[in-house]
Amino acid sequence: MQQATYDDSSGEYSLMLLNTAPGQSMFRSANLPLAQLTNEEISAGKSSELRVENGQPALYLTPDFRIEYVHNVTATQTDPQTGQEEVVIVRREPSFWTPFAGALAGQAIGSLLFRPQYYMPPVYRPGVALVGHGGYGRSYSEAVSHYQSRHQAPPAEYRNRQYRASGRLRSPGSTAPRVNTNRPSGNGVGNSNLRRNNRRNERARPSGGSFGSSPRRQAPRRSPARSGRRR
């Protein structure tokens, strides 16, 4: 995997993939569980990868893997045409997030590091790389609740999602990021064979195990039956 990006305006992860077919180098998903690779897997040469287990994609990372973090700075303004208040994204600030760096994450959740969990990034601070997590849980709502109990405020992505759902979030001069919840197809994803499901209206059927390790075979075309000639 070449890189991963997280955008807190929508909670969407965007993965840049290597050695994929043309047009399939990107995979996007919101609500993506994360887990750390075990020491044994790292010693065996495994790199950060996407796996599909029981139909659910999860991103397995090395402890030093950095996710590019895009923080959206918002402000409440009054729409001059309607007179209603709306939340506007005034700028985007880049940073990095390392969910499993050092002992900080390990001391927080112990052996659960190696099981897919939902993670909220730490509280954003301008110019400071984010390390560890701000909240986690077995479900997205549990991770949000854990974050809120620790920081007495909801995480940025949850707040922005609520604004978006109510139609109050606006990004001047651009369309707000679109959340793609499609599931990847294939068996499991390694460092060089992650794939994106480009089919927007068709639900992919993952088969478990390693993802995208071999191309799919197409069924041979059947020639139409020939009708007899009339005399």
Side-chain angles (χ1 to χ4, degrees), residues 3-8 11-14 31-35 59 61-71 93-101 104-105 117-125 128-136 143 147 155 157:
Q3 70 180 44
T5 302
Y6 169 85
D7 190 328
D8 70 8
E12 181 181 77
Y13 291 85
S14 301
N31 299 353
L32 186 63
L34 309 178
L59 190 58
L61 304 175
T62 57
D64 60 349
F65 188 88
R66 297 198 308 172
I67 298 173
E68 293 187 13
Y69 183 100
V70 180
H71 176 65
E93 298 179 352
S95 184
F96 287 97
W97 174 31
T98 313
F100 303 112
L104 182 63
Q117 300 268 339
Y118 293 87
Y119 289 91
M120 296 292 123
V123 177
Y124 175 79
R125 294 179 178 86
V128 178
L130 308 181
V131 176
H133 62 82
Y136 71 95
Y147 182 102
E157 76 160 64

Side-chain angles (χ1 to χ4, degrees), residues 81-102:
Q81 297 181 352
T82 64
Q84 296 180 348
E85 287 190 344
E86 60 183 1
V87 179
V88 178
I89 297 175
V90 294
R91 67 179 182 277
R92 293 182 171 92
E93 298 179 352
S95 184
F96 287 97
W97 174 31
T98 313
F100 303 112

Side-chain angles (χ1 to χ4, degrees), residues 14-30:
S14 301
L15 310 181
M16 178 69 73
L17 317 176
L18 298 172
N19 302 327
T20 58
Q24 295 185 343
S25 61
M26 290 293 298
F27 169 74
R28 294 185 175 91
S29 178

Side-chain angles (χ1 to χ4, degrees), residues 46-65:
K46 274 193 172 290
S47 301
S48 299
E49 61 182 7
L50 186 72
R51 299 178 188 174
V52 179
E53 299 170 333
N54 299 322
Q56 171 66 56
L59 190 58
Y60 283 75
L61 304 175
T62 57
D64 60 349
F65 188 88

